[in-house]
């Protein structure tokens, strides 16, 4: 039985990878800091939880044991992390490092975390320019992409069969930042109007954890040193995302599509993009990767997980708290209610 070790395995990507591999007959070990985050179904299917804190070299060597057929690292953020991974990965048959599309740089030198939004000419290929490698704090807007590039380089220079995956906006059950919560919470609150900035035109490519998992299974069978974008086969706009969520949850709301010059506090959502950000996934397709599904099909998993958690299910504690600063601008309805009151209140419940 082939064995996989998934570092940072209890989050969105790790869970999806574990589920996919377990179903295909693999033995899977998943690491995390908090055993309470281990999904019951993954444990039930034979997945084994190992406690590991990023940076703990000795524990990582123990977890890797005599080698794994597949080593997937979802918590590799810096060159130091990458060097540590290499120490444990020498005996692995195939290694996957989860990087990010945040590494890409447009012609004017802007990236997705820059003050000026990037403007790419079209779908971004893996050989597109990236930010320069760097170190320092990775948990900053400037540091994140630079540290990822530095980590990628350490791994790709090692001569080992490392596949670097560059996902975009990840969705999946177990996500620490489940962006669709910005919509699901509104549905659960029974809101009958949905305001969307820029008429909901923003496109920032989505990446289903289940599609990352499908790609991981492919590279497990075809080890090699390479970089692959990882994204959904479609690239829905914010309006299409909102419609997929409402349709799945059986909710209707009036779509209020706001023009650019409306109050910037209105209609905010997590997929705003001044210019479309779309990843070219041809390189993955050339490896005979078949996506698990498009956005509307794959997002269902996260939506059902969020609804179950909101109803007090086993993952209730993983829901974003009411004062979560990431979600605050999307879920603060003060300005929205004023706007709706001015035009005569929220539409009646349907
Ligand atoms: N989410 C996105 O939209 C997105 C987009 C592009 C790239 N990425 C990349 O994808 C990877 C994250 O994947 P994900 O979205 O599945 O993440 P996630 O849902 O946030 O899960 C993170 C996983 O790592 C564990 N973890 C977090 N901090 C840790 C630490 N200090 N030491 C050990 N384990 C730790 C978590 O469990 P515990 O908290 O219990 O330790 C969990 O298992 C990252 O490399 C990120 O850069 C994500």
């Amino acid at each position: 039985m082939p064995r996989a070790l998934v570092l940072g395995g209890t989050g969105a990507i790790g869970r999806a990878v574990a589920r996919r591999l377990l179903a295909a007959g693999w033995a899977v070990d998943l690491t995390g800091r908090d055993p309470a985050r281990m999904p019951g179904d993954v444990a039930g299917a034979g997945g084994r939880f190992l406690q590991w804190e990023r940076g703990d070299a000795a524990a990582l060597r123990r977890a890797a044991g005599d080698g794994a057929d597949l080593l997937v690292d979802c918590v590799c953020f810096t060159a130091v992390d990458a060097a540590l991974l290499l120490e444990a990965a020498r005996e692995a048959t195939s290694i996957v490092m989860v990087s990010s599309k945040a590494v890409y740089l447009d012609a004017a030198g802007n990236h997705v975390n820059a003050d000026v939004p990037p403007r790419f000419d079209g779908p971004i290929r893996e050989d597109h320019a990236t930010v320069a490698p760097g170190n320092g704090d990775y948990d900053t807007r400037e540091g994140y992409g630079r540290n990822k590039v530095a980590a990628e380089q350490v791994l790709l220079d090692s001569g080992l069969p490392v596949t670097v995956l560059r996902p975009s906006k990840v969705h999946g059950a177990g996500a620490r930042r489940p962006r669709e919560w910005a919509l699901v919470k509104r549905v659960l609150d029974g809101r009958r109007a949905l305001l969307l900035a820029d008429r909901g035109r923003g496109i920032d490519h989505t990446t289903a954890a289940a599609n990352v998992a499908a790609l991981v299974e492919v590279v497990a069978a075809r080890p090699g040193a390479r970089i692959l974008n990882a994204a959904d086969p479609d690239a829905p706009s914010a309006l299409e995302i909102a419609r997929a969520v409402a349709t799945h949850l059986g909710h209707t709301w009036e779509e209020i599509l706001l023009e650019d010059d409306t109050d910037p506090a209105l209609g905010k959502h997590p997929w705003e993009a001044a210019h479309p950000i779309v990843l070219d996934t041809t390189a993955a397709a050339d490896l005979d990767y078949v996506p698990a599904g498009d956005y509307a099909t794959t997002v269902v998993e996260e939506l059902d997980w969020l609804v179950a958690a909101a109803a007090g299910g086993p993952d209730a504690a993983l829901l974003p708290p009411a004062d979560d600063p990431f979600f605050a601008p999307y879920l603060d309805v003060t300005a929205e209610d004023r706007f709706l009151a001015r035009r005569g209140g929220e539409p009646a419940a349907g």
Side-chain angles (χ1 to χ4, degrees):
M1 186 189 277
R3 174 179 174 248
L5 173 62
V6 187
L7 304 175
T10 58
I13 294 175
R15 285 177 183 213
V17 167
R19 287 189 177 118
R20 176 131 192 158
L21 295 177
L22 286 163
W26 286 65
V28 182
D29 294 336
L30 301 75
T31 77
R33 292 164 301 177
D34 180 0
R37 291 178 183 267
M38 178 73 172
D41 69 303
V42 171
R48 200 166 58 120
F49 177 81
L50 302 175
Q51 203 152 24
W52 176 67
E53 172 85 43
R54 191 176 143 256
D56 184 341
L60 181 54
R61 275 195 298 273
R62 277 198 303 279
D66 297 332
D69 297 283
L70 173 67
L71 216 165
V72 180
D73 194 346
C74 302
V75 278
C76 183
F77 293 102
T78 67
V80 172
D81 292 341
L84 205 93
L85 175 65
L86 287 180
E87 291 291 304
R90 302 246 165 240
E91 306 302 324
T93 309
S94 184
I95 302 152
V96 175
M97 178 269 197
V98 181
S99 182
S100 169
K101 65 106 189 283
V103 301
Y104 291 122
L105 204 60
D106 76 359
N110 296 310
H111 52 83
V112 292
N113 292 314
D115 289 338
V116 178
R119 181 176 205 142
F120 297 103
D121 303 337
I124 310 164
R125 286 168 32 135
E126 291 82 350
D127 57 3
H128 195 91
T130 70
V131 297
N135 48 31
D137 189 358
Y138 76 89
D139 199 11
T140 61
R141 290 171 66 200
E142 269 312 307
Y144 179 71
R146 288 179 183 279
N147 277 279
K148 279 286 193 192
V149 171
E152 289 182 354
Q153 289 186 356
V154 167
L155 294 165
L156 292 169
D157 289 349
S158 69
L160 294 180
V162 178
T163 298
V164 167
L165 297 185
R166 291 178 177 162
S168 186
K169 280 189 156 32
V170 174
H171 58 94
R176 292 297 178 277
R177 190 175 280 174
R179 295 180 181 86
E180 285 74 9
W181 180 241
L183 297 165
V184 173
K185 178 77 169 70
R186 287 166 178 277
V187 170
L188 297 177
D189 289 347
R191 295 192 69 87
R192 293 283 157 192
L194 177 72
L195 282 68
L196 287 175
D198 187 26
R199 301 191 63 80
R201 280 181 293 226
I203 296 179
D204 192 346
H205 214 153
T206 53
T207 299
N211 282 331
V212 177
L215 189 50
V216 166
E217 193 180 10
V218 169
V219 303
R222 301 176 71 168
R226 56 170 89 89
I227 301 174
L228 297 175
N229 286 332
D232 291 342
D234 51 341
S237 66
L239 178 57
E240 289 166 330
I241 288 172
R243 286 182 177 167
V245 171
T247 300
H248 180 65
L249 298 181
H251 188 75
T252 48
W253 45 30
E254 183 194 351
E255 292 163 352
I256 301 177
L257 306 182
L258 303 169
E259 298 296 342
D260 272 357
D261 53 358
T262 326
D263 177 352
L266 292 174
K268 292 185 78 60
H269 58 77
W271 301 274
E272 276 174 57
H275 312 288
I277 301 169
V278 178
L279 298 182
D280 182 320
T281 54
T282 311
D286 287 348
L287 289 173
D288 299 328
Y289 148 76
V290 178
D294 63 9
Y295 175 79
T297 309
T298 52
V299 77
V300 161
E301 193 185 314
E302 186 195 82
L303 301 180
D304 291 344
W305 174 74
L306 285 170
V307 170
D315 278 346
L318 300 190
L319 275 185
D323 60 352
D324 186 309
F326 175 80
F327 286 99
Y330 310 128
L331 290 174
D332 181 353
V333 291
T334 319
E336 179 176 318
D337 282 345
R338 268 200 309 270
F339 172 90
L340 292 169
R342 272 201 306 276
R343 31 151 271 171
E346 262 216 294

